[in-house]
Amino acid sequence: MQDKKEVLKKILSEKIKKYRKSSNKSISLICNEIDLSKSIWSDLEKGIKDPQFSTLWRIAEGLNIPLSEIIIEIEHELKGKINFIEN
């Protein structure tokens, strides 16, 4: 299970970084807007942290994108690759 969680964190970190870069906002600006520490943001972009749902929602708001867009992108990338429930 741990390996699957690591894969999910890695893909999520890639998406957060991609959306941040395309937003042309600095980490400092986004973190100030959503009241998140820069160290937590950094850990998320490095795939170290597994964010709570409410944190992910705030990140999406700070990036001016629907949370569903991030989730759909992750689902498409992971489709058929991992399942958290073993058969």
Side-chain angles (χ1 to χ4, degrees), residues 31-48:
C31 287
N32 286 335
E33 290 176 347
I34 64 172
D35 193 29
L36 186 74
S37 76
K38 289 187 280 186
S39 64
I40 290 176
W41 187 282
S42 177
D43 287 348
L44 290 170
E45 281 200 5
K46 292 176 185 172
I48 296 170

Side-chain angles (χ1 to χ4, degrees), residues 67-78:
L67 176 59
S68 59
E69 190 171 325
I70 296 172
I71 293 171
I72 288 168
E73 233 184 276
I74 292 169
E75 284 179 323
H76 284 294
E77 192 161 334
L78 289 177

Side-chain angles (χ1 to χ4, degrees), residues 4-80:
K4 295 174 185 180
K5 191 173 180 179
E6 294 302 317
V7 169
L8 181 59
K9 287 191 308 187
K10 180 182 182 296
I11 291 172
L12 177 58
S13 72
E14 292 168 356
K15 301 304 173 197
I16 290 172
K17 187 182 288 186
K18 177 187 99 168
Y19 282 113
R20 178 186 52 81
K21 287 182 177 184
S22 68
S23 77
N24 292 319
K25 288 184 172 182
S26 69
I27 292 173
S28 294
L29 177 61
I30 296 170
C31 287
N32 286 335
E33 290 176 347
I34 64 172
D35 193 29
L36 186 74
S37 76
K38 289 187 280 186
S39 64
I40 290 176
W41 187 282
S42 177
D43 287 348
L44 290 170
E45 281 200 5
K46 292 176 185 172
I48 296 170
K49 293 268 186 197
D50 188 4
Q52 293 181 350
F53 186 76
S54 59
T55 302
L56 193 54
W57 192 294
R58 290 175 21 226
I59 288 168
E61 285 183 348
L63 295 170
N64 298 315
I65 58 170
L67 176 59
S68 59
E69 190 171 325
I70 296 172
I71 293 171
I72 288 168
E73 233 184 276
I74 292 169
E75 284 179 323
H76 284 294
E77 192 161 334
L78 289 177
K79 190 170 186 158

